[in-house]
Amino acid sequence: MTHHIVVLGAGYAGLVAAKLAARQKGTRVTLVNRRDHFVERVRLHQLVTGQRLRDLPLADLLAGTGVELVVDTVTGIDADTRTVRPAHAPEIGYDTLVYALGSQADLSPVPGAAEHAHTVATLDQAERLRARLRDGGTAVVVGGGLTGIETAAELAECLPEVKVRLVTEGALGGALSRRAQRHLNAAFGRLAVEVREHARVAEVHGDHVTLEGGDRLGADVTIWTTGFRVPELARQAGFSVDDDGRMLVDPTLRSVSHREVYGIGDAAAVRTADGVELRMACATGLPVAQQAVRAITARLAGRTPDPVRFRYANQCVSLGRDDGLIQFVRGDDSPVEMVLTGRTAAVYKEAIVRGTVMALRHPWMPTRMPGR
């Protein structure tokens, strides 16, 4: 009897999971995604500056795999009947559900952000921001994480008519090593990015942001890169979720409340067996997708699946097209002093991003998972 696996979301994790699941004997796979193209989310800061991204139709990426693609928005999940409700297509029944709906920018905590701020979290938002930046002016990037750093550097290098400011609650690159922070500060100095450290935005207006304490920074464009939220579908379906709405999964990536459901990618709160919580990143999504399919396959064969095993290796940061920063890390993602910088790091980062697309085209499952 054929086992029907439905995958929701064709981001980095969902696309890999669908293609790997379709290779397993006795399975039929349906992939539901609201777009008919794969979006290289890690390159959206490049799109904002007018750079062209690769055209990656899902039909081409799925050709020959046997995966059925449904291009539609999921509006609900009925856990009792094990069905998914797309907005326009008929309901889809499942035997196993893989929940991989990703995340989006959270503009709700700060007054005025939803009305006035732009983001680089989705293709639509990045395209709107690109159009807005054609007029030049001053751009304030809110958030000193990797997305904020990459966005600020890309804007400063590629759009010299735009004055770039970055506001961060901590020190610039505070989660990086001292060597990495020194290079980052030097790069921002070279790019003339104005940095406001240890500052929190209290309100966003059409022409400025107000900081806690009352200071105002002029902003023709405000770009929000801090804070993400996930869809409410898991909570609405009655799946166990954390306070942020991410699906709670066990060490084999199965929902703690529904045995036929697995959660991967940004929309799931994934922890290794020793309690390390995995961060939102495509570097996390791809290997976790592999392990989810291994767990599903093992259970279908009557075997006990292995728990998630994962070790981080590095954090890759682009600082424009000709500079970069590769922060090597321990397995728990904490930084060591070893870094790569400059053109070598830029080439390294580009190779990683290109290699990710290659992994989407030709996914594989290692015979031994990291940490074994």
Side-chain angles (χ1 to χ4, degrees), residues 296-304:
I296 293 168
T297 303
R299 286 197 169 97
L300 290 178
R303 303 191 305 271
T304 300

Side-chain angles (χ1 to χ4, degrees), residues 255-321:
S255 164
V256 299
S257 60
H258 291 73
R259 297 170 61 85
E260 70 283 357
V261 179
Y262 291 75
I264 58 176
D266 290 359
V270 179
R271 289 177 174 81
T272 61
D274 54 2
V276 176
E277 182 171 333
L278 304 186
R279 60 179 161 91
M280 294 179 174
C282 67
T284 304
L286 270 64
V288 166
Q290 292 173 334
Q291 297 188 59
V293 175
R294 288 170 66 92
I296 293 168
T297 303
R299 286 197 169 97
L300 290 178
R303 303 191 305 271
T304 300
D306 293 328
V308 171
R309 297 178 185 271
F310 191 90
R311 292 182 61 83
Y312 287 102
N314 53 50
Q315 297 178 19
C316 302
V317 189
S318 64
L319 299 172
R321 295 300 87 209

